[in-house]
Each structure stands twice: as C-alpha cells, then as structure tokens.
RNA sequence: CGCGGGGUAGAGCAGUUGGCAGCUCGCCAGGCCCAUAACCUGGAGGUCGUCGGUUCAAGUCCGACCCCCGCAA
C-alpha cells in the first residue's frame, strides 16, 4: 500500500523532491503537472522545464496546463483520486477547487522559514537581507500564497560565502530529504499543522534582471550580500563605459587610502575596487563584462590597462 | 533567421589607410637577496575560429560557416 501523488513543480528546485518521492516505495507518483514549454535562451528555442525532463526520464505522465484554473485541469486532476498533491516551485497559483481534490491534502515545499519570505525570491531575499539562517517549510496549502499551516520546518545556516545558487541547491536537497518522512508521518496523523503567525509574515517579489542593478550609495555589507544573493540569477551588475558589467564575487575592504566617488571602478594596489555609500570599499574578485566570459579581476586588469 | 559584442601565445587584451604579429600577466632558465608572490637578465610559446575569394602581399578587404558571451524572453 503506497500513497498516490500528483506532483506539481517546474524549476530545478523541485527536481530533488520529485526524485526523492520516486525513489521511495511508500509513494506512487501518478503524474506530474508543470508549466508549458517556453521559448528560452538566445535563439528562443522551445524548452521543457527541468521537472518535465525528470518526469519523462521516469516515464511519468506530464500535464502542462496553460492555466491551472481552467475546468479542464480540475477534471483531469480529479480523476487521479490522489492521496497527496505535492507542490514545489510550480509557478502558478493553484485554486481552492484543485487544492480540495487530494484525499489527504495539498502539500507545499517552500524554500524559506515561513512566515518569513513568502513568494518567489525567498532564497535571494534571505541572503540579501543578511539573515543568519534559511530553511525549508513543508506546509499544508491554502488558497493564499505560502500562507497555510506549517507541518515541518528545517533550518540551515547561511554561510558567509553562500550564493543564491549554493543556498538554493542546499535547500532543494534539504527539502527533498525531509519530504518523504514528513508526508508519511502527516498521513499517519503524527504531525499536526500549526497555523503561521501571520503578523510576522514578510513577502518577496519575483525578481527581474533590472533588480540586480547595484546601488552604490548603499553600504559595502549590503552590496556584498546582494551580489552573493543574486549570483547567478538575476545577477548584480553596473554600467561602466556604457557597458554592462556583472559583478560576481566581491570582498569587503576597509576605508581606502585614496578613495574615489561612489560607484566608480578603479585599480589600486593591483586590486579592482569600488567605493560604497559608507565609504568602505568592495574589492571585485570576479566579474563578467558584457559580451565576455566570466573572469577574475586579475584577468580583467591584464587586458584593461586604463583602470 | 529577435537585437548586440566577440574568437590573435597558457590567461586577459592591442593591432592604425593591407607590408616581418605586439602589450600586461603566467611559464622556463639564470641573477640579486636571509628570503619572497618583489626586483634584474635571457628564453620558450601563435596554421591570428574554419573554409573559400580579391591581391605581389590578408590578423586587416569580400563571402559562407562554426563556436563563446551580453540583452531580450
């Protein structure tokens, strides 16, 4: 006897969770629901979301509803009579009518310690805000985003060198590791959902590339965190000589001997540095000029003697 | 065929109106020094993305193709 599951997910974040359920005998994944293929990249090639790739590798049925709100989706999903709907970074708001379908419940795996960081950019937001820890919340879903009662939470320390990517990957694995046991225990009534403290809720928005433009009037600490948080997506960047330069990795220096104005990039003692709003400087360690591959500051300086 | 930048030494770049291929690092050898990632001297290393065309002569001009990257999605 195993629990039947319909899995909702789209991005890389959801892949470890899906694989964890597939590998566990206690569960039977009946189908995968994911976003439609989208034109992606420089040549706008139609590309399947990562979850679809994983699903197809495992010969699972895949549904890609344009709108999960459509009655067609509701009818299709009702036929599975699933015990669980498991949702991880699906990308669409799921209506109450669909959430009501599973016998045991609709479960969400979210990459923050709710009620903190409800929304799409929870990983980047936690690093950028300077949080000491991040985590995974497994929760019962309701119709509001990341709003339902909490079943299980696991924290992980945010390290000084964590990037959006490293923390994202760690959280994805953490969620996947806990998910099977949490589902099993919840089904057996051993875990009771606890209502979130909604007065402490914070939200984070979906990030766009423009959000990565560095505001050099901020403190060096803030900017350094932003750069780590937004690496590799949406990436932190600045404009220098009318060219966009992505800033990939920095280190905080103290106050410089001969500072320049905020946001001006220059070489000093063979280091590439920029002054921030608090007059502390950031040493740029890795960067990527527009049209070039990512490189170290040393490589950049080798070919740019004017700095 | 969405817009744009680019492929030149191991790395990052320069190369003027076609005329012997350079710069900063790195690397190798030697020197200096208590010592060094510092300094001095010498050295190796490039079919200039590929194919074709124009020319006495092509990194440079013309055509086609391959690859990398930024934007946009």
């Amino acid at each position: 006897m195993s629990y039947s599951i319909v899995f909702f997910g789209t991005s890389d974040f959801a892949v470890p969770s899906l694989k964890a359920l597939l590998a566990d005998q206690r569960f039977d994944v009946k189908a995968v629901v994911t976003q439609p293929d989208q034109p992606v990249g420089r040549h706008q090639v139609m590309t399947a979301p990562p979850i679809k790739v994983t699903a197809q590798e495992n010969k699972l049925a895949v549904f890609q509803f344009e709108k999960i709100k459509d009655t067609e989706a509701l009818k299709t999903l009702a036929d599975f009579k699933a015990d669980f709907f498991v949702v991880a970074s699906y990308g669409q708001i799921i209506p109450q009518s669909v959430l009501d379908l599973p016998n045991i419940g609709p479960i969400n795996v979210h990459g923050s310690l709710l009620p903190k960081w409800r929304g799409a950019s929870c990983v980047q937001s936690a690093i950028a805000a300077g949080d000491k820890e991040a985590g995974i919340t497994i929760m019962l879903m309701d119709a509001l985003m990341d709003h339902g009662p909490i079943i299980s939470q696991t924290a992980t320390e945010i390290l000084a060198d964590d990037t959006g990517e490293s923390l994202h990957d760690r959280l994805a694995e953490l969620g996947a590791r806990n998910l099977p046991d949490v589902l099993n225990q919840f089904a057996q009534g051993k875990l009771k959902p606890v209502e979130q403290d909604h007065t402490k809720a914070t939200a984070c928005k979906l990030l766009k590339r423009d959000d990565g433009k560095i505001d050099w009037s901020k403190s060096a600490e803030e900017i350094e965190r932003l750069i780590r948080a937004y690496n590799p997506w949406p990436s932190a960047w600045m404009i220098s000589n009318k060219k966009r330069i992505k800033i990939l990795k920095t280190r905080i220096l103290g106050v410089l001997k001969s500072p320049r104005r905020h946001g001006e990039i220059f070489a000093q003692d063979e280091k590439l540095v920029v002054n921030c709003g608090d007059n502390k400087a950031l040493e740029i360690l890795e960067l990527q000029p527009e049209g070039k591959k990512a490189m170290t500051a040393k490589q950049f300086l080798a070919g740019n003697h004017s700095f």
Side-chain angles (χ1 to χ4, degrees), chain A residues 126-128 130-134 156-164 166-167 170 224-225 228-229:
Chain A
I127 297 176
D131 289 359
K132 291 285 179 275
E133 60 178 15
T156 180
E157 185 184 358
I158 296 180
L159 307 172
D161 63 348
D162 257 325
T163 63
S166 66
L167 183 58
R170 188 140 38 88
E224 191 273 339
R225 289 200 305 257
R228 276 191 294 122

Side-chain angles (χ1 to χ4, degrees), chain A residues 16-229:
Chain A
S17 288
L18 175 56
K19 286 184 174 174
L21 295 176
L22 288 169
D24 197 311
Q25 298 297 318
R26 292 172 292 181
F27 305 102
D28 180 15
V29 180
K30 296 289 189 187
V32 167
V33 180
T34 189
Q35 295 270 56
D37 291 5
Q38 298 216 327
V40 138
R42 209 130 34 214
H43 302 292
Q44 296 293 98
V45 179
M46 290 300 284
T47 304
I51 276 292
K52 181 180 178 181
V53 176
T54 303
Q56 289 176 331
E57 286 169 0
N58 290 277
K59 302 194 171 21
L60 297 172
V62 174
F63 296 92
Q64 297 177 280
F65 304 112
E66 284 293 332
K67 292 182 179 177
I68 190 71
K69 291 180 183 175
D70 291 347
T71 52
E72 177 213 344
L74 180 64
K75 289 196 311 196
T76 304
L77 294 170
D79 287 343
F80 285 101
K81 303 189 188 311
D83 294 317
F84 284 112
F85 282 0
V86 175
V87 182
S89 73
Y90 170 53
Q92 291 192 43
I93 303 290
I94 300 174
Q96 191 64 50
S97 57
V98 172
L99 296 178
D100 287 339
L101 291 174
N103 300 324
I104 301 177
I107 305 293
N108 181 227
V109 181
H110 181 75
S112 81
L113 297 171
L114 292 171
K116 205 165 193 180
W117 305 127
R118 291 174 176 169
S121 60
C122 48
V123 175
Q124 290 97 328
S125 298
I127 297 176
D131 289 359
K132 291 285 179 275
E133 60 178 15
I136 285 288
T137 300
I138 298 176
M139 53 181 275
L140 205 50
M141 295 179 74
D142 61 22
L144 297 176
M145 184 182 291
D146 301 326
H147 180 275
I150 295 168
I151 298 171
S152 161
Q153 269 187 338
T154 313
T156 180
E157 185 184 358
I158 296 180
L159 307 172
D161 63 348
D162 257 325
T163 63
E165 183 172 44
S166 66
L167 183 58
H168 168 282
D169 292 351
R170 188 140 38 88
L171 288 173
E173 293 295 339
L174 189 61
R177 200 181 327 141
N178 296 338
L179 182 60
D181 284 345
V182 170
L183 288 180
N184 189 53
Q185 291 181 39
F186 177 70
Q188 295 174 0
K190 293 177 183 171
L191 288 173
K192 296 297 179 191
V194 177
E195 184 76 6
Q196 293 184 32
D197 181 350
H198 300 296
T199 63
K200 292 185 178 172
T202 54
C204 53
K205 61 177 183 173
L206 187 63
L207 293 173
K208 298 173 300 182
R209 265 204 178 86
D210 280 353
D211 293 321
K213 182 165 186 178
I214 297 170
D215 177 358
W216 293 104
S217 70
K218 292 186 174 176
S219 72
E221 281 80 6
E222 282 180 280
I223 295 171
E224 191 273 339
R225 289 200 305 257
L226 182 91
I227 288 164
R228 276 191 294 122

